[in-house]
Amino acid sequence: MRIAVFGGDGIGPEVTGEAVRVLQALGLDNLELVEGDVGGAAYRKHGNPLPPETLAIAKSVDAILFGSVGDFGLDHLERHLRPEQAILGLRKELGLFANLRPATVFPGLEDLTTLRPEVARQIDLLIIRELNGDVYFGEKAIRVLPDGRRQGYDIMSYAEDEVRRIAHVGFKAAQGRRKKLCSVDKANVLETSQLWRDVVIEVSAEYPDVELSHMYVDNAAMQLVKNPGQFDVVVTGNMFGDILSDQASMCVGSIGLLASAALAEGTMGLYEPIHGSAPDIAGKDLANPMAAILSAAMMLRHSFGREADAVRIEAAVAKALAAGVRGGDLGGNAGTREIGDAVLANL
Ligand code: IPM
Ligand code: MG
């Protein structure tokens, strides 16, 4: 089990540090950890947010535990040098095309969400976001038009094979859950979305046991706060998935609790909390490491087939929460290390 640990910026190193402690506590006999620099931290050290050494490590491991990237102090840099390029580059270079972002409310936290508790309690959904295409990776630039006006553009596109492979991930995930798949697009306006919808419908023929529905992204954003219990698996493109997954995270109480997986074909995966680098609280022992710890659980499940260990970690987090351990994101005052200790104690 060769695992890369890329802490990155802000609170990333602190929270992945706690996830590593939890992994080490499992007593896995073949665990090998390799650290590498990413993001703003890598830029400041090597002049590159994704140095070749880091990419080489990434290509040599079985899975990656990722912290976060983002550094407001570097926002003036040319785009290819900005911290975010580390995660975008890893997704692309390693073919990590399927982003799994589950959202459920931990028992006892219903009152901490901004939704009414009886609405929040219903949430048990999985957002599957495509990660290798869309407007994120199309041609983009700021150009000067003949009349001298500046114009920014980013091309949105999806090829049918890209839609097909993420649709399969969506249908398979639904088969393992409540057998409902909602494909989110903007087919009333965008041709990219029309093709997306056509291809998802084609693929659905192979999954007669899954109930497929379609929703425009604006309506999906509304339904997510109106009646989130209606969703089982949601499959969508890179941009819509970015936005809806942040929204879903707030619906369950805190972004500090949500883990994610970015999977390639096969078992390679990158696992990261969905929260960002939170520079305002970095280095102060204030960040909640639970999302990072839960990301390590996802890693054991998806890259190493160790379901029992994954469940053990998830149960330890749930128990710590049930015992009242609350980070600042949940209105409490437990520190990063203290939360890590609480999870370890419950393991
Ligand atoms: C996410 C983040 C990234 C994204 C940023 C950091 C590039 O918001 O993983 O959701 O937009 O994909
Ligand atoms: Mg995002």
Side-chain angles (χ1 to χ4, degrees), residues 38-335:
V38 290
Y43 175 80
R44 291 178 195 279
K45 235 164 119 179
H46 312 274
N48 182 346
L50 183 57
E53 305 89 289
T54 302
L55 194 54
I57 293 171
K59 289 182 171 167
S60 77
V61 294
D62 303 308
I64 300 170
L65 195 60
F66 195 90
S68 56
V69 289
D71 182 335
F72 293 128
L74 300 176
D75 280 351
H76 62 280
L77 293 173
E78 277 180 70
R79 188 161 301 281
H80 72 279
L81 295 175
R82 291 194 204 166
E84 290 77 10
Q85 293 307 311
I87 185 66
L88 297 175
L90 284 169
R91 288 172 183 168
K92 196 73 178 175
E93 289 282 337
L94 300 174
L96 303 165
F97 71 97
N99 195 192
L100 273 44
R101 297 190 161 184
T104 44
V105 182
F106 281 91
L109 297 191
E110 298 87 347
D111 291 329
L112 297 175
T113 93
T114 47
L115 298 180
R116 287 201 307 275
E118 66 270 23
V119 176
R121 201 171 290 125
Q122 313 291 321
I123 303 178
D124 181 5
L125 60 87
L126 171 63
I127 295 183
I128 297 186
R129 167 191 179 199
E130 201 287 333
L131 276 185
N132 277 184
D134 203 354
V135 68
Y136 268 60
F137 291 99
E139 185 193 322
K140 58 182 73 221
I142 297 174
R143 63 186 165 198
V144 181
L145 297 172
D147 64 7
R149 285 178 305 147
R150 284 172 302 159
Q151 183 191 53
Y153 67 95
D154 301 84
I155 295 188
M156 173 183 273
S157 71
Y158 264 121
E160 58 180 314
D161 54 304
E162 294 175 303
V163 181
R164 204 168 284 124
R165 68 176 180 172
I166 194 72
H168 280 292
V169 175
F171 282 106
K172 291 200 173 99
Q175 281 182 325
R177 295 174 46 106
R178 302 196 302 281
K179 299 193 166 49
K180 284 169 58 179
L181 179 66
C182 179
S183 170
V184 170
D185 63 36
K186 187 71 186 172
N188 51 344
V189 178
L190 304 173
E191 289 303 314
T192 309
S193 282
Q194 186 58 56
L195 179 82
W196 174 282
R197 188 175 285 219
D198 294 347
V199 173
V200 171
I201 291 171
E202 285 162 28
V203 173
S204 71
E206 295 175 46
Y207 301 89
D209 54 330
V210 175
E211 181 194 320
L212 172 66
S213 62
H214 303 274
M215 203 178 272
Y216 298 137
V217 63
D218 50 348
N219 186 28
M222 183 178 76
Q223 296 297 333
L224 211 45
V225 287
K226 184 180 173 202
N227 176 19
Q230 71 187 284
F231 296 107
D232 179 15
V233 180
V234 172
V235 66
T236 190
N238 206 343
M239 177 78 149
F240 300 154
D242 178 44
I243 298 167
L244 292 180
S245 59
D246 263 31
Q247 192 185 341
S249 73
M250 250 318 122
C251 295
V252 302
S254 174
I255 198 162
L257 294 177
L258 290 198
S260 75
L263 307 176
E265 313 269 11
T267 59
M268 174 63 180
L270 177 152
Y271 301 84
E272 59 172 330
I274 92 155
H275 61 68
S277 55
D280 51 323
I281 59 166
K284 298 181 181 160
D285 194 41
L286 290 175
N288 184 349
M290 284 178 167
I293 292 170
L294 292 167
S295 298
M298 286 188 92
M299 175 168 82
L300 292 168
R301 171 175 295 124
H302 293 285
S303 284
F304 300 107
R306 300 187 75 100
E307 178 67 21
D309 287 324
V311 169
R312 206 175 141 198
I313 293 175
E314 287 160 355
V317 170
K319 272 192 181 172
L321 284 168
V325 176
R326 301 270 188 278
D329 58 318
L330 297 171
N333 54 20

Side-chain angles (χ1 to χ4, degrees), residues 3-7 16-17 20 23 33-37 57 63-66:
I3 298 168
V5 180
F6 296 160
T16 47
V20 164
L23 280 176
L33 303 166
V34 201
E35 292 195 9
D37 298 320
I57 293 171
I64 300 170
L65 195 60
F66 195 90

